[in-house]
Amino acid sequence: MILGIGTDLANIERIERTLERFGDRFRNRVFTEVEQAKAERRRDTPGTYAKRWAAKEACSKALGTGLRMGIAWKDMAVSNLETGQPVMALTGWAADRLAGMTPAGHEAIVHVTLTDDHPWAQAFVVIEARPLT
């Protein structure tokens, strides 16, 4: 069953200007070390950050809270499987919120997809509850 759906559209140029203006202060507030390392290795660094920004916004919407109620940016972290597929890991209050949404006898799966077409980056997050077997 679907527990939540979220989407977000981020402007890559806006994220680029924010990175130029606030630098590490912005990076360290919003992105985990793994996310930063991934973005800094990419040719399109601002686009990589923008996609992860959009994923965090989309995830907070799928959790039904938006970025309030104690969710921190770093409580939602995007990484990639070896295949390149993005995955979202939740910690802190976001993980607590997810646990509270998940019905007994189910496990929560967070699906995330990212795309960009300059100047836009977009993310969709679907939270699924799957019965335990």
Side-chain angles (χ1 to χ4, degrees):
M1 90 182 64
I2 303 298
L3 298 178
I5 299 171
T7 185
D8 193 66
L9 185 66
N11 185 289
I12 295 168
E13 293 168 355
R14 179 176 157 246
I15 296 297
E16 184 172 31
R17 287 191 304 273
T18 302
L19 287 164
E20 289 169 357
R21 182 172 178 194
F22 296 105
D24 286 342
R25 187 169 140 213
F26 172 67
R27 282 183 197 86
N28 294 332
R29 179 174 166 246
V30 176
F31 303 100
T32 66
E33 289 180 16
V34 171
E35 290 172 314
Q36 290 181 48
K38 171 81 172 184
E40 296 301 325
R41 285 192 309 265
R42 303 297 296 269
R43 184 178 330 148
D44 183 15
T45 299
T48 302
Y49 279 121
K51 285 186 281 190
R52 278 145 181 78
W53 171 278
K56 292 167 186 272
E57 287 274 6
C59 185
S60 71
K61 293 170 186 174
L63 289 168
T65 63
L67 284 160
R68 56 184 177 88
M69 297 176 60
I71 292 181
W73 287 102
K74 289 183 175 182
D75 286 347
M76 302 164 289
V78 178
S79 61
N80 296 85
L81 301 177
E82 285 187 23
T83 61
Q85 177 184 348
V87 293
M88 176 80 70
L90 305 182
T91 58
W93 196 93
D96 293 344
R97 171 72 178 166
L98 180 60
M101 294 171 58
T102 307
H106 290 73
E107 66 175 333
I109 310 294
V110 180
H111 303 277
V112 60
T113 187
L114 308 171
T115 191
D116 65 293
D117 186 6
H118 195 85
W120 301 107
Q122 186 173 33
F124 287 94
V125 171
V126 175
I127 301 175
E128 171 190 12
R130 228 181 252 170
L132 296 171
T133 54

